[in-house]
Amino acid sequence: MAHIDLGQPILDRNERLAAVNRARFAEAGVFVLDLMASPGAGKTSTILATIAALRDRYRIAVIEGDIASKVDAEKVKAHGIPAVQINTGGACHLESDMIKRAVDTLSLDELDLIIIENVGNLVCPTDFNLGEDAKVMILSVPEGHDKPYKYPGIFQISEAVILNKVDTMPVFDFNEDEFNGEVHTLNPRAPIFRIAATKGEGVAEWAEWLAARIEAKKAERAAGADA
Amino acid sequence: MAHIDLGQPILDRNERLAAVNRARFAEAGVFVLDLMASPGAGKTSTILATIAALRDRYRIAVIEGDIASKVDAEKVKAHGIPAVQINTGGACHLESDMIKRAVDTLSLDELDLIIIENVGNLVCPTDFNLGEDAKVMILSVPEGHDKPYKYPGIFQISEAVILNKVDTMPVFDFNEDEFNGEVHTLNPRAPIFRIAATKGEGVAEWAEWLAARIEAKKAERAAGADA
């Protein structure tokens, strides 16, 4: 089945516009993260915790994707960070043309990092390249350790996996060994970061991974400019 | 946007096959429930609790929808209940042709109730009629009280809303008054059932609502046969 519904022409068009976005991000030297998760896994809390960890080092903006409402963008703006809300209407994922329009409202040259919060969904966002530098997913402990069996695609495409709400582990029957084992079967190289975003626990390690990626892109760009 | 991706021809074809399914269910006198929720909201646990509450009164079968794996069907079968696993490959929702093929493997005349567990997703399943008698959704407390703002469609299309994992309310910052208010703004007639599926708490009230719907269908069918 694999999304044949969506139609190859839509995926092709998305891919072309993703390349346009990627070129713009490269030119401006901004690192772009596509953050994916189920509804309620803690995407916005993780973004706020990441901002707290990295805002002294990097200039950050956020693009929020939701079917409806602007509550998430408002939460981010309340912390003094530029945020653009995309409302997809009914679409279950973000596409690169939506990102293009959102980016048009930002001053790219004044940014080091854009975090895109995708629509809450473990399926549809995996097929859509947005021009990002990395896709990362969050799974939250209450969702259960069996999710890699059921939604393998998103675990395979993510460069890192954030396990959120680890502070609620005692409340839920979450088999962490089984989870880690299955994630690494699907995606042997992805690190798994254990965090409790609302409490700031474990965020430093995740933020350092992201900072290393941002620095690698800056170094690559500087090397390109020298050449 | 509203799912224009999917294409009207696909929706039209789905609707035609849903009508075929509906006619088969009506002829056999079986009530069909389409149960929708995010990944990890507790669909399978709720189904098992519902089976425990109603298995003495009704003959029940389950159709499990997942991208991959057959763990849910195996959990249901372990309780001695017929279960069919549909693996969608990558599709983010069930469609009526998948239900048709699953139903072909069941003995419809020996059933009173079929529970369909849709793919974990708050967006895509809302647009697809499967021939069911009722769509019902589960939201779990860890997902947060703001989900009706972000995913209004599924709250509007559901005839009842199950709020699961209420036993974890003390662990999460869930504003139940705000949740109830927004659900009833979107869908004034939907009852909200508070349950803790894995503990069996609150399940009786939900099961009675479902039993009343099953009885109403039986009465309607008996009236039709008399006419």
Side-chain angles (χ1 to χ4, degrees), chain A residues 1-3 5 38-40 66-69 71-72 88 90 92-93 95 120-121 123-124 142-143 147 149-151 165, chain B residues 1-3 5 38-40 66-69 71-72 88 90 92-93 95 120-121 123-124 142-143 147 149-151 165:
Chain A
M1 309 269 164
H3 280 130
D5 306 7
S38 294
D66 274 303
I67 304 289
S69 95
V71 294
D72 285 347
T88 65
C92 52
H93 58 272
E95 296 186 14
N121 192 317
V123 185
C124 311
E143 294 172 73
K147 292 303 160 292
Y149 299 112
K150 297 182 180 182
Y151 304 90
K165 308 189 190 180
Chain B
M1 310 270 164
H3 279 130
D5 307 7
S38 294
D66 274 302
I67 305 289
S69 95
V71 294
D72 285 348
T88 66
C92 52
H93 59 273
E95 296 186 15
N121 192 315
V123 185
C124 311
E143 293 172 73
K147 292 302 160 293
Y149 299 112
K150 297 182 179 181
Y151 305 88
K165 309 190 190 180

Side-chain angles (χ1 to χ4, degrees), chain B residues 98-152:
Chain B
M98 303 175 195
I99 299 302
K100 181 191 172 301
R101 280 177 279 153
V103 167
D104 285 344
T105 71
L106 295 169
S107 304
L108 274 194
D109 290 333
E110 295 167 15
L111 293 173
D112 303 302
L113 170 65
I114 296 174
I115 305 177
I116 300 171
E117 179 176 338
N118 218 311
V119 178
N121 192 315
L122 290 190
V123 185
C124 311
T126 62
D127 282 348
F128 288 83
N129 192 341
L130 306 176
E132 74 281 344
D133 293 282
K135 284 188 190 296
V136 167
M137 71 168 290
I138 305 172
L139 190 94
S140 62
V141 166
E143 293 172 73
H145 60 261
D146 61 352
K147 292 302 160 293
Y149 299 112
K150 297 182 179 181
Y151 305 88

Side-chain angles (χ1 to χ4, degrees), chain A:
Chain A
M1 309 269 164
H3 280 130
I4 46 169
D5 306 7
L6 295 167
Q8 201 56 39
I10 290 168
L11 287 169
D12 289 347
R13 177 171 179 275
N14 182 71
E15 207 59 36
R16 282 195 306 277
L17 288 171
V20 172
N21 290 345
R22 176 164 288 123
R24 279 179 86 182
F25 299 147
E27 192 187 336
V30 59
F31 187 91
V32 179
L33 174 72
D34 177 15
L35 192 60
M36 309 176 293
S38 294
K43 290 182 292 302
T44 311
S45 311
T46 299
I47 288 171
L48 292 176
T50 306
I51 287 169
L54 295 179
R55 66 183 303 161
D56 292 343
R57 279 190 273 171
Y58 300 113
R59 299 163 299 173
I60 307 172
V62 176
I63 297 174
E64 291 285 349
D66 274 303
I67 304 289
S69 95
K70 51 184 181 178
V71 294
D72 285 347
E74 283 167 359
K75 279 185 201 166
V76 173
K77 282 181 187 167
H79 291 261
I81 295 289
V84 187
Q85 181 79 52
I86 298 173
N87 282 153
T88 65
C92 52
H93 58 272
L94 294 175
E95 296 186 14
S96 47
D97 65 331
M98 303 176 195
I99 298 302
K100 182 192 170 301
R101 280 177 279 152
V103 167
D104 286 343
T105 71
L106 295 169
S107 303
L108 274 194
D109 290 334
E110 295 167 15
L111 293 173
D112 303 302
L113 170 64
I114 297 175
I115 305 177
I116 300 171
E117 178 176 338
N118 218 311
V119 177
N121 192 317
L122 289 190
V123 185
C124 311
T126 61
D127 282 348
F128 288 84
N129 191 339
L130 306 176
E132 73 280 344
D133 294 281
K135 284 188 191 294
V136 168
M137 71 167 291
I138 305 172
L139 190 92
S140 62
V141 166
E143 294 172 73
H145 59 261
D146 60 353
K147 292 303 160 292
Y149 299 112
K150 297 182 180 182
Y151 304 90
I154 193 165
F155 287 90
Q156 288 167 318
I157 206 168
S158 295
E159 293 189 33
V161 174
I162 297 173
L163 182 61
N164 191 22
K165 308 189 190 180
V166 292
D167 55 321
T168 70
M169 201 79 81
V171 182
F172 296 97
D173 182 25
F174 190 93
N175 186 329
E176 195 169 358
D177 287 341
E178 190 176 336
F179 175 75
N180 292 343
E182 185 60 17
V183 169
H184 286 141
T185 300
L186 292 167
N187 189 342
R189 293 190 304 178
I192 300 174
F193 296 106
R194 306 173 84 258
I195 74 168
T198 57
K199 298 181 178 174
E201 290 171 20
V203 175
E205 201 177 349
W206 146 247
E208 286 315 311
W209 180 89
L210 183 57
R213 292 292 308 265
I214 295 168
E215 293 302 325
K217 185 170 183 178
K218 282 184 187 294
E220 195 180 315
R221 188 167 177 251
D226 290 346

Side-chain angles (χ1 to χ4, degrees), chain B residues 38-60:
Chain B
S38 294
K43 291 182 290 303
T44 311
S45 311
T46 299
I47 289 171
L48 292 177
T50 307
I51 288 169
L54 295 179
R55 67 184 301 161
D56 292 343
R57 280 191 272 171
Y58 301 113
R59 299 164 300 175
I60 307 172

Side-chain angles (χ1 to χ4, degrees), chain B residues 8 13 19 24 26 116 118 122 131 148 182 186 190 194:
Chain B
Q8 199 57 38
R13 177 170 180 275
R24 278 177 88 184
I116 300 171
N118 218 311
L122 290 190
E182 186 59 17
L186 292 167
R194 304 174 86 258

